[in-house]
């Protein structure tokens, strides 16, 4: 099953902290142009409004919400709730039936991260520990080990659970560290590409940084070759056999495009003379493109750099724009064109 949309997330370490919300959380666009908004307080509720602001539904939820994400295929909003002892559960809020279909218990930890696959059939939930200045060691022990729960959005059942702490520890050969983990891309078959950085607890220095696959059909992670630099964007090929990774170079004016063969476990690198910023698809055929600071460049589905280039009339900023807004590709510079 091919991906319809590139799942690109900033490689900056962003792990969301679950906390009670006493006021409105920013809305999220759902089906038919409507917007879902989540409210906490004494009467937690999900409200759905149309484009004109008219309320279409008001759905009660059990507890104050944390972060949330939407599956288009299931027309369901998934809302995380924080329990005692840093435990969590997810409410599957069905926007068609206007009720909570199920409460899904996931792992424990101070950090939670959600991702829905491009087709919306899989929900991935990361939970894990967080550095504690008062008692550093307790965050390295169960139940705070990093865990990814894979949820089928059709049945709202957990179909796989990944724990890769021991595999990562063997690589860094140290127990005095903690994780920064970020989702990069996911397939509707349930495979997940993540980036994990093991960091020394006391010095704060990274000990090891890895790209790895959490396969849907195996509990063991697959470690990818070292990309050789900071990964700023990733994309899966349409057949999901290749992973494209845009990597910053040593200078601010160069970089590389790494192509990982996910079946063979091999990789190759294309040198770039422009600093890469992101990967995305355009047009009715959803062709892959690489956006740099100075130009856009076409790619092929086998990871070859094409001859098609489009110069930008202004340099693209290095920080990431809002992926849902009109500035998603060009950072919203006035008068900037393709």
């Amino acid at each position: 099953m091919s991906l319809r949309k590139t799942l690109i997330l900033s490689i900056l370490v962003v792990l969301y902290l679950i906390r009670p919300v006493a006021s409105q959380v920013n809305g999220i666009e759902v089906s038919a142009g409507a917007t879902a908004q989540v409210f906490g307080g004494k009467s937690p509720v999900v409200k759905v409004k149309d484009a004109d602001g008219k309320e279409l539904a008001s759905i009660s939820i059990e507890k104050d919400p944390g972060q949330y994400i939407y599956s288009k295929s299931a027309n369901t909003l998934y809302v995380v709730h924080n329990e005692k002892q840093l435990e969590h559960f997810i409410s599957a809020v069905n926007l068609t039936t206007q009720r909570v279909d199920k409460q899904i218990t996931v792992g424990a930890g101070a950090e939670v991260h959600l991702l829905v696959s491009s087709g919306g059939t899989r929900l991935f939930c990361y939970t894990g520990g967080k550095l504690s200045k008062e008692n550093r060691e307790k965050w390295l022990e169960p139940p705070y080990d990093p865990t990814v729960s894979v949820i089928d959005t059709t049945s709202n059942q957990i179909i796989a659970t990944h724990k890769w702490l021991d595999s990562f520890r063997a690589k860094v050969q140290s127990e005095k560290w903690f994780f920064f983990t970020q989702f990069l891309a996911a397939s509707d078959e349930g495979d997940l590409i993540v980036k994990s950085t093991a960091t020394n607890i006391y010095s704060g220095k990274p000990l090891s940084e890895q790209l790895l696959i959490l396969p849907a059909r195996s509990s063991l992670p697959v470690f990818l070759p070292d990309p050789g630099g900071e990964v700023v964007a990733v994309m899966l090929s349409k057949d999901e056999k290749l992973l494209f990774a845009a990597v910053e170079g040593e200078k601010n004016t160069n970089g590389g495009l790494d192509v990982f063969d996910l079946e063979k476990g091999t990789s190759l690198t294309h040198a770039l003379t422009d600093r890469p910023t992101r990967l995305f698809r355009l047009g009715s055929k959803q062709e892959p493109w690489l956006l740099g600071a100075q130009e856009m460049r076409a790619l092929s589905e086998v990871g070859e750099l094409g001859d098609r280039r489009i110069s930008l009339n202004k340099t693209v900023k290095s920080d990431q724009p809002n992926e849902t807004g009109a500035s998603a590709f060009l950072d919203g510079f006035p008068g900037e064109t393709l």
Side-chain angles (χ1 to χ4, degrees):
M1 185 179 295
S2 64
L3 293 174
R4 294 178 304 132
K5 178 182 177 182
T6 306
L7 297 170
I8 303 175
L9 298 176
S10 167
I11 306 303
L12 296 174
V13 178
V14 181
L15 290 172
Y16 295 94
L17 189 64
I18 295 301
R19 62 189 184 278
V21 180
S23 58
Q24 175 183 336
V25 179
N26 291 333
I28 187 170
E29 185 176 351
V30 294
S31 60
T35 300
Q37 297 174 317
V38 183
F39 297 81
K42 293 183 179 180
S43 302
V45 66
V46 172
K47 293 188 176 182
V48 182
K49 298 181 179 180
D50 64 16
D52 297 324
K54 180 182 177 181
E55 187 172 302
L56 303 175
S58 181
I59 309 166
S60 296
I61 52 179
E62 183 175 312
K63 290 193 174 184
D64 272 331
Q67 62 178 287
Y68 58 93
I69 200 167
Y70 175 67
S71 166
K72 183 176 181 180
S73 65
N75 196 26
T76 296
L77 196 70
Y78 291 92
V79 184
V80 179
H81 307 276
N82 187 19
E83 292 275 68
K84 295 180 180 179
Q85 304 300 320
L86 298 179
E87 296 175 348
H88 311 285
F89 71 89
I90 298 174
S91 290
V93 185
N94 191 316
L95 302 186
T96 301
T97 62
Q98 299 183 14
R99 68 182 184 185
V100 176
D101 282 346
K102 190 173 183 178
Q103 291 181 345
I104 308 164
T105 301
V106 292
E111 287 122 8
V112 179
H113 191 187
L114 299 175
L115 179 68
V116 170
S117 62
S118 62
T121 64
R122 296 288 184 267
L123 169 67
F124 302 88
C125 178
Y126 167 88
T127 55
K130 184 176 184 294
L131 178 64
S132 168
K133 294 181 180 179
E134 292 76 21
N135 187 349
R136 297 172 185 266
E137 299 300 326
K138 75 175 184 179
W139 298 96
L140 304 179
E141 301 172 355
Y144 305 117
D145 288 352
T147 301
V148 170
S149 301
V150 184
I151 299 165
D152 181 349
T153 61
T154 302
S155 64
N156 290 320
Q157 298 285 339
I158 294 178
I159 59 175
T161 301
H162 296 288
K163 293 186 177 182
W164 65 97
L165 182 75
D166 290 337
S167 297
F168 213 108
R169 180 184 288 123
K171 285 187 149 316
V172 298
Q173 295 182 346
S174 171
E175 296 183 359
K176 307 299 182 183
W177 49 268
F178 65 99
F179 274 107
F180 286 126
T181 300
Q182 186 164 17
F183 293 166
L184 301 184
S187 76
D188 280 319
E189 298 300 320
D191 293 335
L192 178 67
I193 312 295
V194 302
K195 175 184 176 181
S196 285
T197 304
T199 303
N200 186 281
I201 286 178
Y202 302 106
S203 69
K205 295 181 179 180
L207 297 176
S208 179
E209 184 172 280
Q210 291 285 165
L211 293 180
L212 58 148
I213 307 171
L214 302 181
R217 299 171 183 83
S218 173
S219 61
L220 298 176
V222 176
F223 291 89
L224 297 175
D226 186 350
E230 180 69 19
V231 178
V232 296
V234 298
M235 174 191 291
L236 288 169
S237 61
K238 286 184 177 180
D239 62 9
E240 300 181 358
K241 294 181 179 180
L242 301 177
L243 175 71
F244 310 141
V247 182
E248 286 188 345
E250 294 181 358
K251 299 180 180 179
N252 197 37
T253 56
N254 66 354
L257 176 69
D258 286 355
V259 181
F260 297 99
D261 188 315
L262 301 181
E263 293 183 338
K264 299 178 181 179
T266 58
S267 66
L268 61 88
T269 300
H270 299 291
L272 301 173
T273 56
D274 187 18
R275 173 175 56 82
T277 61
R278 59 192 66 97
L279 292 157
F280 57 93
R281 294 183 181 276
L282 283 179
S284 60
K285 296 183 179 179
Q286 289 291 282
E287 295 178 305
W289 287 80
L290 169 67
L291 180 66
Q294 303 290 337
E295 67 177 13
M296 288 170 54
R297 191 166 179 182
L299 305 178
S300 73
E301 291 296 339
V302 295
E304 296 175 345
L305 289 171
D307 295 329
R308 288 183 295 169
R309 301 170 183 257
I310 300 177
S311 297
L312 306 179
N313 64 1
K314 288 188 178 181
T315 301
V316 174
K317 296 185 294 185
S318 60
D319 55 319
Q320 296 294 316
N322 179 358
E323 293 292 342
T324 63
S327 65
F329 300 125
L330 298 178
D331 295 329
F333 285 110
E336 188 159 40
T337 57
L338 299 183

